[in-house]
Amino acid sequence: MGEALPAIPAHPLPVAVRAPGKCIVFGEHAVVHGAPELLFALDLETQVYVAPGAVTRLNGDAEARTRNRYFAQALDSLWAGGGPIEVRALSRIPRAAGLGSSAAFVAALAAGLGAATGGIDRPTLAERSFQIERGAQGVGSPGDTAAVIGGGFLAVNGGSGDPLWTVRDGDRRWEVRRVEDPGWLWVVAHSGIPRSTADAVRAVGQRLSRPDGPALLAEFRRVAEEGIDAVGSGDRARVAELMTRNQELLREVGVSHPRLEALIEAAGPAAQAAKLTGAGAGGSIVALPKPGEETDLVRRLARAGGLPFVVRAAPSGVSLANEAPAG
Ligand code: PMV
């Protein structure tokens, strides 16, 4: 093992960066408490373009630094003392949907600023991007930024072999490992219900501090560990069973939502399994389609009021692009 991922090379401004989103298959929320998580880089792209400017702006907004905490944290962390920059961001990932729009923006901007300051290796980029997201959100794990930076399928705190990297935060540590992509199509669907990741993470933290919390966390852990093995060995039926069990646990800790349950139910006939993905309380679901029934699944989810996408794992993480995004 010990796959070495290519560093982000040095590149003077202007620089264009592209980053995938992320989709969590097993272990959201529990990962914040040290349990394993399995996620993949989602092939919905974010593009960030960074150029020297007269004043620092994000998509034309000169007040973005006070309005957008991710932007402010990234500048403080990676551009202290740097000159004014013009940043443009375009994304196909719906916002606040649990599909990694903020992680993709943070990692792409951090990669661009890292390129402009002599290049940055991926473990350092992962550490910085986590700190930026964490600084902006106040809570959370490095899973989302890891997926966007590492590409493909990744296990956090699980899997086998040498870690690609380890992210530390005080006395907590998260090891990130490669899991083989089984090559499946997945369908994600956004409910359209906005929510706060930080509020959901705090509510689950409180729920897990009740007397049955340790037993629940142990069950989250078991499901994710077995899920990582099942995805790695391409066992679809087992993955489906474990996704269903994971959804029961997420319901139990209070982060499902009637709209998510409606989408999960609508997926039923065309999916082997479906569960919420990300922080929940709104946001999105991920479904494992019955092979060949992807179109029917999309139709069912759209009819139930979701915004569906057929996706697969993006093989590569964040990278420099050759051209500036249009628009
Ligand atoms: O807010 P989202 O949907 O990107 O999901 C975050 C996943 C959590 O496990 C809930 C939090 C985290 O930082 O890992």
Side-chain angles (χ1 to χ4, degrees):
M1 289 276 301
E3 170 195 15
L5 295 176
I8 303 294
H11 192 291
L13 296 183
V15 65
V17 190
R18 47 174 45 142
K22 62 91 201 188
C23 176
I24 302 174
V25 181
F26 295 111
E28 51 273 273
H29 285 291
V31 68
V32 176
H33 305 276
E37 177 183 56
L38 179 79
L39 71 178
F40 64 90
L42 190 71
D43 62 350
L44 294 178
E45 194 170 273
T46 287
Q47 300 176 12
V48 170
Y49 179 68
V50 187
V55 288
T56 291
R57 303 194 302 179
L58 171 60
N59 289 343
D61 179 5
E63 303 299 321
R65 212 182 171 126
T66 54
R67 273 199 264 271
N68 182 322
R69 281 170 298 158
Y70 298 97
F71 188 52
Q73 289 278 339
L75 294 176
D76 290 349
S77 163
L78 289 157
W79 202 245
I85 48 173
E86 184 80 49
V87 178
R88 277 193 287 145
L90 290 176
S91 184
R92 287 196 58 217
I93 309 167
R95 278 171 171 236
L99 300 175
S101 63
S102 60
F105 171 68
V106 164
L109 180 57
L113 299 177
T117 50
I120 186 165
D121 62 66
R122 274 176 209 256
T124 308
L125 182 60
E127 180 93 47
R128 294 284 167 81
S129 299
F130 168 56
Q131 295 300 349
I132 292 165
E133 243 212 336
R134 182 59 184 276
Q137 265 178 14
V139 292
S141 80
D144 290 14
T145 41
V148 169
I149 291 165
F153 269 78
L154 294 172
V156 180
N157 292 336
S160 56
D162 294 339
L164 293 173
W165 62 73
T166 301
V167 177
R168 291 182 178 77
D169 180 39
D171 56 1
R172 293 199 296 169
R173 44 184 276 145
W174 290 269
E175 292 183 336
V176 177
R177 291 188 175 80
R178 171 69 63 216
V179 174
E180 196 175 331
D181 177 2
W184 302 336
L185 291 173
W186 304 78
V187 174
V188 295
H190 181 27
S191 66
I193 310 283
R195 84 288 181 274
S196 152
T197 298
D199 290 350
V201 167
R202 287 197 192 95
V204 171
Q206 279 173 10
R207 176 66 187 85
L208 292 176
S209 67
R210 283 169 30 188
D212 63 344
L216 271 172
L217 192 57
E219 180 66 354
F220 269 108
R221 177 181 293 279
R222 179 192 70 81
V223 167
E225 274 166 1
E226 293 186 17
I228 290 166
D229 289 348
V231 166
S233 60
D235 185 345
R236 262 183 110 97
R238 186 76 185 127
V239 170
E241 271 169 35
L242 291 162
M243 285 173 68
T244 302
R245 178 68 187 131
N246 201 155
Q247 175 62 18
E248 288 167 6
L249 293 169
L250 289 162
R251 226 176 257 144
E252 178 70 34
V253 298
V255 288
S256 197
H257 183 283
R259 295 289 313 135
L260 297 175
E261 294 295 334
L263 290 175
I264 290 168
E265 184 163 341
Q272 287 184 270
K275 63 179 274 293
L276 71 83
T277 183
S284 300
I285 66 153
V286 56
L288 183 60
K290 290 185 178 159
E293 297 190 27
E294 293 81 10
T295 311
D296 186 33
L297 179 53
V298 163
R299 204 176 298 124
R300 286 172 182 282
L301 290 168
R303 233 186 262 134
L307 175 64
F309 300 86
V310 179
V311 297
R312 56 171 79 240
S316 324
V318 62
S319 61
L320 300 191
N322 298 322
E323 300 162 355

